[in-house]
Amino acid sequence: PPERGVALLVGSAEQAAEVGRMTPSAKALAEALWPGGLTIVIPQRSTVPLPTVLTGGAPTIGLRLPDHPTPRALAAAVGPLPVTSANVSGRPEAADAKEIVAQLGADLDLVLDGGRARGGPPSTVVDCSREQAVVLRVGAIGVERIAAVLSTAGLELRAAPG
């Protein structure tokens, strides 16, 4: 949906700080849990205008430093990469380049084959754009781990809305 943002993969925490403002909670989580299955939502920098399709019209941007060297190297070389799951909405996520081409082939200009996907849960998404961080989606990293990292840094995790 247009109101839903698209995360950017970054090559380093330094590159993340160029796109968005790393709040205290974002810094603590990035230092402890990146690279890995964590998407951090932070305020976007006004000096780095981003298309609405990436932000969903919000003043924030989701950033992730993946634990796979190929997308990190690519993001480091060309800049942050807008990404979504490699599948048609509602269908299972593709596990390798052959499955990606089978699902999306006609709509793709290039498939970079980094090997079979490791699989597993999606990234945990934490909104760090406010004074207290809040988990928006539980995934690869549990809420207890997020809360522990923040607590060690002297920060709190706010209960999720709803």
Side-chain angles (χ1 to χ4, degrees):
E3 67 278 358
R4 190 171 172 186
V6 174
L8 295 175
L9 292 187
V10 293
S12 66
E14 294 77 18
Q15 190 178 53
E18 293 171 5
V19 177
R21 186 173 54 79
M22 295 293 284
T23 61
S25 57
K27 287 178 187 175
L29 291 172
E31 286 175 10
L33 302 172
W34 272 0
L38 174 68
T39 299
I40 297 173
V41 178
I42 58 176
Q44 60 179 319
R45 292 201 178 276
S46 59
T47 55
V48 183
L50 297 171
T52 303
V53 69
L54 293 180
T55 65
T60 57
I61 186 68
L63 303 172
R64 187 162 77 87
L65 182 64
D67 61 359
H68 193 289
T70 302
R72 281 198 318 264
L74 190 56
V78 302
L81 306 169
V83 296
T84 64
S85 298
N87 64 299
V88 173
S89 184
R91 291 185 60 191
E93 198 168 314
D96 59 27
K98 184 176 178 180
E99 289 179 17
I100 291 169
V101 171
Q103 280 195 43
L104 305 170
D107 296 321
L108 300 174
D109 292 323
L110 172 72
V111 174
L112 180 61
D113 189 348
R116 187 158 182 82
R118 296 181 188 134
S123 67
T124 295
V125 180
V126 181
D127 184 348
C128 294
S129 67
R130 301 182 180 117
E131 189 172 329
Q132 286 185 320
V134 62
V135 175
L136 301 178
R137 177 181 76 191
V138 178
I141 301 170
V143 174
E144 298 80 17
R145 179 77 175 117
I146 300 292
V149 167
L150 292 173
S151 179
T152 299
L155 303 165
E156 293 183 20
L157 181 64
R158 186 175 54 138

